[in-house]
Amino acid sequence: MTVQDVDRVSFAEEWERWHRAHEQALADPHGFLAITSLRWLSPDPTRFEDAPGAWSSGPEGVVVELADGEELTIDGTAVHGRYVFGAIAERASLYAGYGDAVIEIAKRGGHDIVRPRHPGNPLRTDFTRTPAYAPDPRWVRPGRYLPFDEPRAITVGAVAEGLEHVYDAPGQVEFELDGETFRLTAFNGKRPGALMVLLTDATSGVTTYAANRSLQIDAPDETGRVTLDFNRATNLPCAYTDLATCPLPPTENRLPVAVEAGEKIPLERGGRP
């Protein structure tokens, strides 16, 4: 299918539906915009003003010590006193209820963290929308998946200073743009077989968020063909809040061309409508 074959009205309507659903997930009462703090845990039990209990990380994993009258809800059950969450896997998160809020307990870059999420956080209640380029079929590019012989562990930096993330990369995605061929290192996507790429390009720091954007790619077909729809390049949570630990793209994913598609700098970061 060529760009000329695309029904631009239907294409734009489908994109609008997708982006509206994406925005609704972002603004969920317990989504990233609801985060009120990022707490790095240590062996010393420490209390925080936006979460109950004293929190620590040690040989038992993450532990909270709740005072009299304090309560968390875990898997529908109220807990009191001392509670051991145990060891948490890298990039995993657990959630404990606290009134109308939830407390996220997670591991990022080898460090245990706590991130309270309160629905009344002004970043969430004031959120309206994320500006984006008008959807354009030109930015739907055919590509080819080039699997590695074995997945490779790729270390990338993070927006949090001193933090690193390690991802398994199953392969690369190759595509052409304006007569040039590019390859992006891909990580595993949200669904089995799907892929995800982190990237920057010549718009980064100008019209799009400087650190990164993310693009989900459906699983390759039996011949390895994939489709990269750059209209669906989205901001990561760090584009909206400093209370995120988002990964940076691998060096080879920093494109020298301008990808004028997808989400732009959020209004919260000085972006323009």
Side-chain angles (χ1 to χ4, degrees):
M1 178 180 289
T2 65
V3 171
Q4 289 75 21
D5 295 329
V6 174
D7 179 341
R8 288 180 175 270
V9 173
S10 297
F11 183 85
E13 290 175 345
E14 182 179 352
W15 181 90
E16 289 286 354
R17 286 192 293 271
W18 164 81
H19 197 235
R20 188 160 51 247
H22 175 73
E23 298 270 80
Q24 288 172 347
L26 177 67
D28 182 87
H30 298 138
F32 263 96
L33 300 184
I35 292 175
T36 52
S37 67
L38 168 59
R39 311 294 188 171
W40 302 88
L41 301 184
S42 74
D44 299 321
T46 306
R47 298 187 66 88
F48 311 119
E49 68 270 13
D50 52 354
W55 296 81
S56 62
S57 174
E60 294 179 283
V62 176
V63 176
V64 64
E65 300 174 15
L66 299 166
D68 291 343
E70 292 184 325
E71 176 181 286
L72 288 172
T73 303
I74 300 173
D75 294 330
T77 301
V79 299
H80 307 88
R82 188 174 188 270
Y83 185 85
V84 179
F85 289 92
I88 299 174
E90 182 65 34
R91 288 193 295 279
S93 292
L94 304 176
Y95 297 91
Y98 171 49
D100 66 350
V102 299
I103 310 300
E104 179 191 12
I105 306 98
K107 177 163 293 201
R108 297 294 184 268
H111 302 276
D112 289 322
I113 63 172
V114 163
R115 284 191 294 205
R117 301 183 179 213
H118 291 260
N121 188 34
L123 184 63
R124 190 193 82 84
T125 57
D126 294 344
F127 176 75
T128 55
R129 63 187 181 87
T130 302
Y133 284 98
D136 186 340
R138 171 179 179 262
W139 292 105
V140 181
R141 310 302 301 175
R144 186 163 64 107
Y145 175 55
L146 306 172
F148 297 139
D149 291 337
E150 295 288 340
R152 299 177 184 176
I154 304 294
T155 300
V156 297
V159 294
E161 186 176 355
L163 197 69
E164 290 184 331
H165 295 281
V166 180
Y167 289 88
D168 284 336
Q172 293 185 316
V173 173
E174 182 179 83
F175 69 100
E176 291 187 3
L177 184 62
D178 295 336
E180 289 190 74
T181 300
F182 302 98
R183 287 186 180 180
L184 300 173
T185 295
F187 301 135
N188 294 313
K190 295 179 178 179
R191 298 180 300 279
L195 304 168
M196 183 273 287
V197 296
L198 301 170
L199 71 149
T200 58
D201 63 273
T203 70
S204 300
V206 182
T207 56
T208 63
Y209 184 59
N212 48 32
R213 285 193 292 167
S214 173
L215 180 64
Q216 299 290 330
I217 302 172
D218 287 340
D221 69 11
E222 62 278 3
T223 67
R225 291 181 299 181
V226 294
T227 298
L228 296 85
D229 186 353
F230 288 102
N231 295 287
R232 301 193 180 195
T234 58
N235 292 319
L236 276 70
C238 53
Y240 302 88
T241 175
D242 293 334
L243 306 176
T245 61
C246 301
L248 301 176
T251 301
E252 63 273 19
N253 288 20
R254 298 169 186 174
L255 298 173
V257 296
V259 179
E260 296 177 323
E263 291 190 328
K264 296 182 178 181
I265 298 171
L267 302 175
E268 292 80 1
R269 296 288 197 183
R272 297 183 178 183

